[in-house]
Each structure stands twice: as structure tokens, then as C-alpha cells.
Amino acid sequence: MLATISQLTIGVVDLAAAFLFMYGLLRMASPVTAPSGIFVAGLGMLGAVVASFLYAFSVSAAAEPHLLVNVGLALVALVIGGGAAWWSGRKVPLTAMPQMVALYNGMGGGAAGAIAAVELFGNKTTGATDLVVTLLGALIGAVSLSGSLIAWAKLDGVIDKPLRVRGQQAINGLVMLVTLAVGGYIVFVAQTGADPVMLMPGSIYLFFGCALVFGVLMTLPIGGADMPVVISIYNAFTGLAVGLEGFVLQNPALMIAGMVVGAAGLLLTLLMAKAMNRSVSNVVFTNFGAASKHKQGAIKGELKPMAAGDAGIAMRYAASVIIVPGYGLAVAQGQQKLYEFVKLLQAGGVAVKFAVHPVAGRMPGQMDVLLAEAGVPYDLIFQLEDINDDFSTTDVALVIGANDVVNPAARTDRSSPIFGMPILNADKAKKVLVVKRGEGKGYAGIVNGLFYGDNCNMVYGDAQAVLIKMIEAVRGLGLPAAA
Amino acid sequence: MEFQISITGFVALYIFMLAAFAGWVIIGGVPAILHTPLMSGSNFVHGIVVVGGIFALLNAVTVQEQVIGFFAVLLGAGNAAGGYAVTDRMLAMFQVSAPKKKHAQSGHVKAVQAKKG
């Protein structure tokens, strides 16, 4: 009786949780409703976790003597894991968001893999389908765990260079083949009852080991600029793994939540790859961003430096300014100063907009969050397709900490590695001001013709220092607030 | 009455297919400006894996199963709690530039202009 009631309760709560997850994600379609969206999804999660302890009333006979210990372990794990992650999530600076998302994502993949391991070691799967799905979920979850950890290390600067060896793809392929072979062997032994050549626990360890190694090998060669795509892929992977383990555990809430995230991750991955004008396989399998062998034609014109104060004053007297922020701005921690400067311009009647490229930052939409953190209202922030036509009627385009996303070579130079990538048309503005640390090249290692244009001036220096000078110069004019 | 859920074969595939469609459509409607919170939000949603971890741990028999199950719950809880914390934090930062004030102002300007006219 108790078992029936507990099962019914779990069923109802999980159903509600699945609904709340989807409803919550649906509410994320607008910045206005999004905070309530994550809140209702959180309620669903809380309910599902609390209700899952009702499984205690219907555990298998073999597990019953251990029940008290197991419940205790579960509570301790919840408090430690949840507490540590909550604390770190509250404390971490927003610039570190990509690596945190990678880390939490890896944890999810690891959890899915661990569930599969319990099923495999305990020999709890019934039938070939069950076993194959368990192994598949284990594989994807394990790859997501180790891959996400490498992504975290790269984003956090623990590993600062893409690591590449000759024949890397052959090695990766071989490791994958071995993993699949071991998986196939496990299924074969389980199904035929053949005398195992290798003991079962050994095969399972080998299977997980290979899967983890594959995740590491797959992620190591990928460069930092490709991280938005990589994080999306692993997000999708973890979702998929969770969905598959949900099937094994006969839990539809896990199946639905996992698959929704799997599809979401896939969509985001494709969007990111499109914004970089590259296919997903190109990101994962080719070594972009190492040394570009592309020979560039001579660029006409010269770099024309300008003092920060003069640049600030020039913008104060402009009618309209579009700001193109890039990752360099975030590195210099200049967002707050930038918005302070923008408010000065606005007070003087200058129309200011922000143009954000889809891959600005180290994960999709990161620049939007960093601007929001600095207090920039989101109605001032425009995405590429919405603002690109406005550049030609704008007085000043201020490019700050961005490079490749405003390189006109993407439109004109067929031989350029970034040819065809959608870019922000900053070069079409009447005047272009570029704030940059030095004369270096962008992430793709390509010279930017924009900087040499007749309408372009370079303002050299750390973004934050430059902005402080601009603010001082405009304040120094002593103009009335509204012109 | 029996409430044990049983999903096999094609029913599972139908669930997967419909869920994938739902995910694709729902996420397709999210503007690019919210892609980071969306990603951490969907990251949070697959933290539901912690429920599977709890199920596995409660049914653990051997010490080995208990240890692995413990880690499943630990990692799953980290996924869920961390994902929620960062998403909630980011979403709280998105604000509009005081629209009411703006409207009131332009309304005032119009009124003044109307008087002048």
C-alpha cells in the first residue's frame, strides 16, 4: 500500500516537474518573463528531488537492509554537492561563467555515467535493448564529463594552448573504436552467456576508461575561440545521456528533460557554428586557430593613431554612435566604464546602441550578460541581423576589444579563412574608432583591413584606461547635460 | 492498483521524438541576447539526473554501488544547484531602460508642444 502511494506521488510530482521545466524554458523567450521561468523550473526540480526519496518505500529486497545507510548517503551527497555548487555559482564573477557552465555540465554527464555504472556493475539491466541504451548513455555521459572538464581547464586558463599531435584524428578514431568494441563485447557476453575472456568488472572499467580518454582527446586540440560551440555540444551530450539513462530507469521526467536539453543544445550548436561560418565537424576535427598559412595581399593605407580624449570628444559631438564590444573589453574589465561613458553621451543627446556579434565572448550570448551586469539596459543591445543596416547611417562606430567580427575580409576576400562569416558592418559607418591594446592580430591571426581604412582611427591602450580618459575628456568640456 | 511506469520500445522513441521537437521549438524562440542564461538554464534542467542518482543509490546493494551512487547524487546535485544559481543570477541583471519614465517624458513633451501649437 505504502509502495503504491509513494509510486503514485512520484509519478505525479515528476509529471509536474517535466511540465514546469518546459514551461520555464518557454518563459525564457523574453528577458521580462525569464526570471520567473527559471524559478518555476527550480520549483519542479525541488519537488522532484524531495519526492525521489519516496523510492525508499519500494526498493528491491536485496537493498532493504542497506536502506538507512543509503538514505543517509544520499542526503550527505545532496548537501555537499548542491551546497558547494550553489556557493560557487553565487560567488563566481560573470566573466568566468563559461567555465562554470562547462563544469556544471560535466557534473551532469558524470552523474549520468555513474548511474549507468551502478546499473552495469550491479547487473541490473534486463534485456539487450536495456543494456545497449545503458552503455550508450554511459559513453556519452563519460565523454561529456571528461570533455567538459578539459573545456573548463581551457577556459579557466589552466591549459592555455590547444594541444595537438600528428595523427591525432587517427588516435581519436582508434580510442573510439576500442570503446565501441568493448561495449559490444559486454553486450555479447551478457546475451550469449559465453565464457568471458575478460572478467566483467574489468571490461566495464575499460569501457569507462576509454570513453573518458576519448572525451579528453577530443577536446584538447580545440582552440579557445571555438569554445562556444564545444560547450553547446557537451550540453547536448549530457542532455542525451540523461535522457537515455532515464529510459533505463523507466523515469519519463528524465527522458523528457534530457531530450529537451539535447535538442536545445543541438540547435544552439548549429547556431554558433553558423555564426562562425563553419560546420560543427570543422570545429571539432580541424585545427583552426593554430597558425594560419593564409597569405594576405598587401593592405593599402596606414594605421592612424588617435588620442583617447580626442576620440571621446569626437563621439560627444556625433549624433549617433554604435558600440561593438568584444571579448577584449571583458578581459580589461571595462564594461562598467563603458556604460558610464555611454550615459555621458546619452545625457548629451547622442543616440547610442550596442551591436553584439553572436560569438562575442567565450559562450553564446556572453557579451549580452556582461553588458547587462554593467547595467546596460537590454533595449540598447542589438544583435547582428537587427543592427547591421544601421551602420551606414551612423556617425561613429566604436569597436572596443573586438577584431575578427568586424573584419571586412569576411565579405570580400575569398581566400581568407573567415570568408563568409557574418560580420558587423562597422566599416560602413562614417567614422570608425578602434580601441585596441596594440597592433596585434585577432584570434584567427588575420590582418584586419578595417583598421587601415580612410575613415578609421586607432586608439591604443587598455580598454578600461582608454574609457577613463574618454570620460574625463567629455566631462572636461563642461557642456550642459542635454544639448 | 499498480502505478509502476513501464515505457518500452516505440513508446520510448515517441517520447524522445516529441521531447526533442518541443526542445527545438521552445529554444528556437529564445532571442540571442538570452543565449547564455538559456544555456545555463537548460544545463540546470538536465540536473534532474540527480533524481536518477537518488534512485540508483537507494537501490544500491554492494559498497561499490553505494560509492558510485554517492557520486551520482553528488555530481547531479552540483549540476542542478550550480545551474540554478548562475542562471538566476544572470537573469536578474537584464533590465530595461526605465520605459515608464521615458514614456511619461515624451508624453509631457508632446503635451507641451501641443500647448505651443
Side-chain angles (χ1 to χ4, degrees):
Chain A
M1 186 59 195
L2 213 52
T4 311
I5 293 175
S6 68
Q7 272 167 10
L8 177 64
T9 312
I10 292 171
V12 171
V13 174
D14 281 6
L15 181 66
F19 169 78
L20 289 175
F21 288 158
M22 293 215 261
Y23 182 64
L25 286 175
L26 196 62
R27 287 187 74 82
M28 278 212 173
S30 149
V32 182
T33 54
S36 68
I38 188 69
F39 181 71
V40 295
L43 282 183
M45 184 72 76
L46 198 63
V49 170
V50 172
S52 67
F53 277 92
L54 292 172
Y55 282 128
F57 293 109
S58 53
V59 292
S60 64
E64 242 165 60
H66 307 284
L67 192 57
L68 214 60
V69 178
N70 288 348
V71 170
L73 281 176
L75 286 173
V76 172
L78 269 183
V79 171
I80 296 178
W86 181 270
W87 177 77
S88 64
R90 285 278 151 203
K91 208 180 70 89
V92 70
L94 279 194
T95 36
M97 211 41 80
Q99 50 264 49
M100 289 322 280
V101 172
L103 193 61
Y104 299 143
N105 185 52
M107 286 174 137
I115 292 169
V118 173
E119 297 289 307
L120 290 170
F121 284 121
N123 212 2
K124 294 178 183 183
T125 55
T126 49
T129 317
D130 234 21
L131 186 55
V132 171
V133 174
T134 309
L135 285 169
L136 203 58
L139 171 63
I140 299 171
V143 169
S144 178
L145 169 65
S146 60
S148 296
L149 287 181
I150 296 295
W152 167 79
K154 276 170 173 282
L155 289 163
D156 210 45
V158 181
I159 304 175
D160 54 357
K161 265 187 203 151
L163 200 75
R164 290 164 188 142
V165 290
R166 285 175 76 104
Q168 182 126 28
Q169 291 180 44
I171 298 172
N172 290 5
L174 196 69
V175 174
M176 192 69 215
L177 272 181
V178 172
T179 318
L180 291 177
V182 175
Y185 171 77
I186 293 173
V187 176
F188 174 75
V189 171
Q191 282 315 108
T192 58
D195 241 5
V197 187
M198 188 165 50
L199 287 173
M200 219 14 130
S203 319
I204 299 171
Y205 280 122
L206 185 63
F207 179 77
F208 276 102
C210 287
L212 290 171
V213 168
F214 181 78
V216 172
L217 290 178
M218 180 175 149
T219 322
L220 272 181
I222 300 174
D226 289 340
M227 279 304 149
V229 181
V230 175
I231 300 180
S232 299
I233 292 178
Y234 286 133
N235 199 26
F237 272 19
T238 302
L240 201 58
V242 171
L244 292 174
E245 296 311 328
F247 169 75
V248 176
L249 299 178
Q250 292 288 302
N251 185 324
L254 259 71
M255 290 173 73
I256 290 172
M259 209 40 82
V260 164
V261 177
L266 178 66
L267 178 63
L268 275 180
T269 307
L270 294 175
L271 284 177
M272 283 308 107
K274 198 177 143 211
M276 300 167 94
N277 189 40
R278 301 170 61 202
S279 69
V280 176
S281 68
N282 183 260
V283 171
V284 178
F285 296 118
T286 57
N287 302 334
F288 180 77
S292 174
K293 283 175 193 134
H294 165 70
K295 285 232 172 67
Q296 266 182 319
I299 286 181
K300 285 175 200 156
E302 54 185 331
L303 296 169
K304 295 168 285 297
M306 191 179 201
D310 297 345
I313 289 167
M315 280 184 273
R316 172 62 183 77
Y317 285 112
S320 53
V321 173
I322 297 182
I323 299 172
V324 182
Y327 194 63
L329 175 69
V331 173
Q333 297 285 325
Q335 306 93 295
Q336 306 279 351
K337 288 289 164 203
L338 178 61
Y339 187 47
E340 201 182 323
F341 178 62
V342 166
K343 279 190 281 193
L344 266 181
L345 293 182
Q346 284 176 325
V350 183
V352 185
K353 289 178 188 171
F354 288 84
V356 177
H357 192 273
V359 293
R362 288 293 175 267
M363 75 184 286
Q366 192 193 3
M367 191 49 68
D368 302 295
V369 174
L370 292 174
L371 290 176
E373 184 194 21
V376 178
Y378 61 79
D379 48 339
L380 293 185
I381 304 174
F382 293 84
Q383 305 299 317
L384 186 135
E385 58 272 27
D386 300 325
I387 200 166
N388 240 354
D389 294 335
D390 296 356
F391 277 105
S392 52
T393 54
T394 297
D395 289 341
V396 180
L398 173 66
V399 179
I400 184 159
N403 189 343
D404 294 332
V405 297
V406 288
N407 192 339
R411 280 198 311 258
T412 52
D413 182 2
R414 284 195 171 275
S415 63
S416 173
I418 59 165
F419 179 73
M421 177 171 112
I423 59 155
L424 289 161
N425 296 331
D427 56 324
K428 302 221 166 137
K430 285 170 200 147
K431 174 119 205 110
V432 184
L433 295 169
V434 179
V435 178
K436 221 169 159 301
R437 291 182 71 92
E439 294 185 7
K441 293 165 187 171
Y443 217 94
I446 312 156
V447 178
N448 196 335
L450 167 74
F451 302 163
Y452 296 85
D454 291 334
N455 60 347
C456 180
N457 282 101
M458 307 294 289
V459 183
Y460 291 118
D462 174 79
Q464 189 170 353
V466 166
L467 284 163
I468 291 172
K469 279 185 204 153
M470 285 181 177
I471 292 168
E472 281 169 2
V474 172
R475 287 228 172 98
L477 292 173
L479 290 174
Chain B
M1 268 204 282
E2 184 59 63
F3 293 104
Q4 186 77 48
I5 296 170
S6 165
I7 307 155
T8 49
F10 276 103
V11 180
L13 290 176
Y14 277 110
I15 291 180
F16 279 147
M17 182 190 71
L18 291 173
F21 259 107
W24 186 276
V25 172
I26 291 171
I27 301 310
V30 177
I33 189 171
L34 286 176
H35 273 172
T36 291
L38 169 72
M39 195 176 256
S40 71
S42 61
N43 186 24
F44 158 73
V45 165
H46 66 51
I48 186 73
V49 70
V50 67
V51 167
I54 293 172
F55 175 81
L57 179 55
L58 292 185
N59 282 288
V61 180
T62 63
V63 174
Q64 186 190 29
E65 284 173 28
Q66 284 176 325
V67 170
I68 304 173
F70 179 80
F71 277 104
V73 178
L74 188 80
L75 293 173
N79 183 178
Y84 186 88
V86 295
T87 310
D88 184 53
R89 236 180 95 193
M90 283 191 281
L91 287 176
M93 287 167 183
F94 283 90
Q95 283 154 359
V96 214
S97 48
K100 277 178 191 166
K101 213 173 158 190
K102 221 185 215 173
H103 280 203
Q105 238 170 22
S106 65
H108 176 69
V109 172
K110 270 179 200 158
V112 172
Q113 279 170 341
K115 261 185 197 170
K116 275 184 187 165

